[in-house]
Amino acid sequence: MKAAKKPIHAVTTWVRRQPPKVKAFLGVVSAMTALVLLRVIVHDHDNLFVAAEAVHALGISVLIYKLTKEKTCAGLSLKSQELTALFLAVRLYCSFVMEFDIHTLLDSATLVTTLWVIYMIRFKLKASYMEDKDNFAIYYVVVPCAVLSVLIHPSTHHHIINKISWAFCVYLEAVSVLPQLRVMQNTKIVEPFTAHYVFALGIARFLSCAHWVLQVLDTRGRLLTALGYGFWPIMVLFSEVVQTFILADFCYYYVKSLMGGQLVLRLPSGVV
């Protein structure tokens, strides 16, 4: 086992010593490589979106275990959960009035479990909630997302309220994890279940991003035209990319910690 860890340790040490531009380049190359592999392995790329929802559900299952078995919500951001519930509720509304499909059922289940997590943090486990660490002002993301959704939204035939709501949930989803990252930034030490949950979010959002990128490639850009005209198609893809890269740095240290056999994740200064 030790011999197997040496090459991994050598690679992670080399990557850590590289300047930010080289790290960014390596991250882009790794992401492109993963996209190529997914395009070859997964024939129906719609399955990537379902897989993203499944991984997100798995992450929430980890939260449920933490809250019910360990009886603590330490390290969790209530604000991130509330932002998640908000964009899920708006997306569910859009799904009902615009198109009802399997994603509507998945979002319904995710919203119910997210509301349960919020209830547990607010009432049942309030004593262990780290309110002083959860100090991200959510209006910093809600207000810009609302303004942006009014300015840039789908150009489809739907009612203007529905189009703005759709854009709002897309933008808000991209940044809803920021309060959770702030909590981890403030504590610097992330216990296992919280780390598993955030890593699951990172994987889910990468799969969702891969779904959109591969769909655009498969349709040779026709998907962007189907989404409408103007800046909206670009903003959809941009939002998917943003929410993936927001968690990329954390996922790197998570994998590194896992490979090193560490149960508790310790984040260096400047991460997330």
Side-chain angles (χ1 to χ4, degrees), residues 106-199:
L106 293 173
D107 281 343
S108 299
T110 305
L111 177 59
V112 169
T113 52
T114 302
L115 290 174
W116 180 84
V117 170
I118 292 173
Y119 168 76
M120 293 295 289
I121 296 176
R122 274 195 172 276
F123 301 105
K124 293 294 185 179
L125 303 174
K126 188 176 181 180
S128 59
Y129 171 49
M130 305 168 69
E131 186 173 2
D132 59 322
K133 303 296 183 183
D134 195 12
N135 55 9
F136 188 94
I138 60 176
Y139 56 80
Y140 283 157
V141 293
V142 174
V143 174
C145 287
V147 173
L148 191 59
S149 63
V150 172
L151 298 175
I152 304 176
H153 51 262
S155 56
T156 57
H157 65 279
H158 301 94
H159 191 277
I160 184 64
I161 298 299
N162 298 338
K163 293 190 289 186
I164 291 175
S165 298
W166 183 8
F168 177 71
C169 68
V170 168
Y171 299 145
L172 188 60
E173 181 183 14
V175 294
S176 61
V177 76
L178 288 178
Q180 180 63 58
L181 296 182
R182 172 62 68 85
V183 171
M184 296 189 298
Q185 186 181 55
N186 290 337
T187 59
K188 292 300 179 188
I189 297 178
V190 187
E191 57 84 35
F193 289 111
T194 302
H196 298 336
Y197 165 68
V198 177
F199 180 70

Side-chain angles (χ1 to χ4, degrees), residues 148 171 174 209 232-244:
L148 191 59
Y171 299 145
C209 181
W232 169 245
I234 298 174
M235 289 303 295
V236 171
L237 287 178
F238 180 72
S239 298
E240 292 291 338
V241 172
V242 165
Q243 63 180 322
T244 300

